[in-house]
Amino acid sequence: MGSPFAFVDGALDRADHLRDAPAALAAAWPTAGVIALDASGNALADAASQLLPLAGAALGDGPGDAVFLGQRDGRAWFFVQAAAHAVDAPARIDLRRAASHWPAWQATLFAQARAVQHWHQRHRYCPACGGALRFVRAGWLGRCDGCGSEHYPRTDQAIIAAITDGERLLLGRQATWPARRWSVVAGFVEPGETLEQTVAREVMEETGVRVRPESARYLASQPWPFPGSLMLGFIAQAEPDPPRASQELEDARWFSADEVRAGLERDWRDADEAGEGIVLSSPVSIARHVVRAWLDEYDAAQRSQ
């Protein structure tokens, strides 16, 4: 059974042992699959906006600065910067659209490539001495020739939580969202915190609702390359406090199970259209999964009474 959200299914075998094997990567290059991204993080695509079929042999004699992503069914896959290769691509596609239209494994491949690209773009200099970083190990290690320090890809951990008072679900919305779009609370983990403490702190900061940290229960995780996070999904119990808006959120409210159910049934693309009721996050996101998990547990509890 596949994941209910994007960027999980079909993950490559990252084959870490090959990152330090340039001869093996050079041998794999001619028949390797290659995903090319432009400087904005969009993938080069064919006329149907599908993954542009590229093989290493068409791009040069060896991988050069290409990043080795891993293997799928014995075939190596690499990521390259589109600007470094004269490729005639009929279209470009962003990661969110690709996640809805490409096969799951290709969207997962794209997400991995985009996350590494963002790290390369934002970490060109050594944070210890300011010297330029040189990327080695097939693109997975930044080495400073000035001070000798080594730097690895960064992933920012964040919680995303279905908060309930037993009968209702807490949802919020940001001012920039379409008028009917609502979602669950999310926020980044701070140094020295447990994930459960992060759930309680973020919900209090964003909505003023008190969460019982010991009630926080882990559900699932999702790589979220917008630009480089790992979303950690939870369900947690809270006091029935009246929510309040914050700097992060334009509004926050409790919603009944029936309101949430109707929100899940509506097309997520209709959030900016006039109409009644809330619209919830895209199926691409783990946000929708944690909402569904809460509703399923609520319905099961009602049936058992």
Side-chain angles (χ1 to χ4, degrees):
M1 184 175 179
S3 171
F5 42 82
F7 314 135
V8 176
D9 289 340
L12 300 181
D13 172 2
R14 299 198 175 205
D16 178 82
H17 64 286
L18 292 178
R19 294 174 183 174
D20 283 320
L25 294 180
W29 174 252
T31 58
V34 180
I35 180 170
L37 306 187
D38 66 20
S40 297
N42 298 315
L44 273 58
D46 64 18
S49 292
Q50 297 298 306
L51 177 64
L52 188 69
L54 293 172
L59 299 178
D61 295 335
D65 291 335
V67 176
F68 173 61
L69 299 176
Q71 295 176 318
R72 174 179 168 82
D73 297 331
R75 186 188 192 191
W77 280 88
F78 291 82
F79 146 65
V80 298
Q81 302 281 0
H85 300 274
V87 178
D88 182 18
R92 303 283 196 277
I93 186 170
D94 65 79
L95 182 53
R96 290 180 189 269
R97 278 202 306 137
S100 299
H101 296 95
W102 287 9
W105 76 268
Q106 292 183 0
T108 299
L109 173 81
F110 188 173
Q112 182 186 351
R114 176 62 184 125
V116 176
Q117 180 194 43
H118 180 264
W119 176 58
H120 280 204
Q121 289 173 332
R122 297 299 181 90
H123 295 82
R124 294 180 297 160
Y125 299 99
C126 174
C129 75
L133 292 182
R134 178 169 52 90
F135 293 104
V136 297
R137 293 203 79 235
W140 289 91
L141 173 65
R143 180 170 291 145
C144 177
D145 291 330
C147 68
S149 61
E150 296 184 339
H151 306 275
Y152 293 87
R154 171 173 172 169
T155 298
D156 296 317
Q157 295 79 31
I159 61 86
I160 185 164
I163 304 300
T164 180
D165 66 355
E167 297 293 326
R168 301 171 296 176
L169 183 68
L170 181 65
L171 299 175
R173 55 168 283 104
Q174 297 181 11
T176 57
W177 290 357
R180 298 167 64 199
R181 173 67 49 75
W182 291 75
S183 190
V184 289
V185 173
F188 289 104
V189 181
E190 291 189 348
E193 278 188 322
T194 67
L195 299 177
E196 294 81 2
Q197 289 167 345
T198 304
V199 171
R201 177 184 55 78
E202 283 288 345
V203 174
M204 171 57 74
E205 289 177 357
E206 295 191 14
T207 70
V209 172
R210 294 169 293 164
V211 170
R212 299 193 289 274
E214 70 279 3
S215 73
R217 183 160 43 86
Y218 172 77
L219 293 174
S221 63
Q222 180 188 30
W224 192 244
F226 301 104
S229 302
L230 177 65
M231 303 300 291
L232 304 157
F234 283 83
I235 287 181
Q237 296 287 324
E239 304 298 336
D241 299 326
R244 54 162 173 74
S246 65
Q247 290 184 339
E248 299 267 349
L249 299 176
E250 177 188 58
D251 198 1
R253 301 180 197 172
W254 291 109
F255 289 88
S256 70
D258 286 343
E259 289 174 310
V260 172
R261 184 177 293 105
L264 287 170
E265 290 172 354
R266 295 186 184 100
D267 191 323
W268 61 273
R269 292 163 291 196
D270 293 341
D272 56 356
E273 296 183 5
E276 296 295 326
I278 63 174
V279 176
L280 296 170
S281 302
S282 160
V284 165
S285 171
I286 192 175
R288 195 176 186 90
H289 171 70
V290 298
V291 170
R292 171 61 69 186
W294 171 77
L295 185 60
D296 288 347
E297 289 190 7
Y298 174 86
D299 288 342
Q302 294 299 305
R303 289 192 298 268
S304 67
Q305 293 180 358

